């Protein structure tokens, strides 16, 4: 999720609003969907289901060891980057996001210990255990062939078609040539898309 306050030329009319961001996080942000996905636990797939504490590689094991980082903006133009955030539950994640109202959230790797404990661990003890394979496709990669007048972060409907074509080609290749099955495509928040390969 990226709700930064710096407008690109394509969205110069958009004005950042802390009040709208707070409303988004309290009413619209898909906490359950995010928690279910990053837990990799079928028991969390339906709202109201709780994963059993003993489930292997489920939310009881994976989600609390997942790193989140947040970029907050306590004052306009003053960004603060906070790393090594981790949460025991969906409710804990929701509480932190609604309290901090980040302008950007990054999803990191799964570690051997909860990342929030990094300062209490001996140096070098916190180690990455697993991470999804992520592809980042930006429209800036197509600047040489965009003939609509856009370049950099500027986007229009005509040049966005390159993203649609890139998704089709990559999706086909990742599935047919490499045998991946669980692909998740996301708007990157600025000028392109991310593909998360979520297979084991």
């Amino acid at each position: 999720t990226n709700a930064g306050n710096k407008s690109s030329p394509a969205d110069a009319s958009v004005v950042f609003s802390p009040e709208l961001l707070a409303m988004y996080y309290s009413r619209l942000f898909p906490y359950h969907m995010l928690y279910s996905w990053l837990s990799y636990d079928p028991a969390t797939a339906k709202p109201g289901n709780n994963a059993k504490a003993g489930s292997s590689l489920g939310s009881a094991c994976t989600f609390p060891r997942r790193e989140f980082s947040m970029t907050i903006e306590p004052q306009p133009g003053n960004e603060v980057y906070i790393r090594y955030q981790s949460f025991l539950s969906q409710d804990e994640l929701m509480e932190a996001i609604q309290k901090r109202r980040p302008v950007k959230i990054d999803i990191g790797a799964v570690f051997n210990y909860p990342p929030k404990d990094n300062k209490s661990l001996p140096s070098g003890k916190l180690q990455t255990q697993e991470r999804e394979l992520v592809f980042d496709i930006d429209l800036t990669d197509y600047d040489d062939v965009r003939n609509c007048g856009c370049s950099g972060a500027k986007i229009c409907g005509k040049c966005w078609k390159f993203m649609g074509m890139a998704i089709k080609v990559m999706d086909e290749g990742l599935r047919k040539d490499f045998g991946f099955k669980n692909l998740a495509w996301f708007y990157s928040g600025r000028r392109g898309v991310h593909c998360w390969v979520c297979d084991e």
Side-chain angles (χ1 to χ4, degrees):
T1 302
N2 186 350
N5 69 338
K6 292 180 180 134
S7 297
S8 69
D11 63 359
S13 64
V14 176
V15 177
F16 175 72
S17 165
E19 293 78 21
L20 288 176
L21 185 61
M23 187 182 302
Y24 169 71
Y25 283 136
S26 67
R27 296 183 184 178
L28 301 172
F29 189 82
Y31 296 103
H32 179 75
M33 189 182 300
L34 185 67
Y35 176 75
S36 177
W37 168 43
L38 295 175
S39 295
Y40 291 101
D41 188 348
T44 64
K46 293 182 181 175
N49 283 357
N50 294 318
K52 302 205 181 239
S55 64
S56 65
L57 297 179
S59 60
C61 182
T62 305
F63 192 81
R65 296 183 297 117
R66 169 80 65 177
E67 181 189 10
F68 291 84
S69 63
M70 298 180 188
T71 303
I72 61 170
E73 195 170 282
Q75 298 169 343
N78 180 23
E79 289 187 346
V80 178
Y81 183 65
I82 306 168
R83 275 202 70 186
Y84 301 113
Q85 303 297 294
S86 57
F87 308 98
L88 293 174
S89 65
Q90 175 181 320
D91 289 341
E92 202 173 288
L93 172 69
M94 182 171 67
E95 184 179 317
I97 289 174
Q98 289 182 3
K99 179 181 177 184
R100 292 191 180 119
R101 286 182 270 174
V103 294
K104 182 179 177 192
I105 300 170
D106 292 302
I107 301 167
V110 175
F111 286 81
N112 55 341
Y113 293 97
K116 67 181 175 183
D117 297 339
N118 73 310
K119 289 186 179 179
S120 64
L121 296 169
S123 179
K125 190 78 170 169
L126 186 67
Q127 298 288 321
T128 302
Q129 297 292 295
E130 55 187 286
R131 177 78 166 106
E132 292 82 3
L133 176 61
V134 180
F135 294 93
D136 182 1
I137 308 170
D138 290 327
L139 268 173
T140 51
D141 299 331
Y142 295 89
D143 279 354
D144 292 343
V145 295
R146 288 202 274 177
N147 58 11
C148 57
C150 295
S151 65
K154 188 174 180 185
I155 299 170
C156 71
K158 187 174 180 183
C159 63
W160 187 255
K161 290 177 184 174
F162 285 112
M163 285 293 100
M165 289 184 277
I167 290 170
K168 286 180 183 177
V169 170
M170 262 194 94
D171 196 87
E172 182 89 1
L174 289 170
R175 291 178 192 280
K176 289 196 174 174
D177 297 337
F178 293 94
F180 291 122
K181 295 179 180 158
N182 300 298
L183 307 179
W185 291 93
F186 301 97
Y187 174 59
S188 67
R190 187 154 178 229
R191 60 179 183 260
V193 294
H194 293 166
C195 175
W196 285 57
V197 179
C198 302
D199 294 31
E200 284 190 36

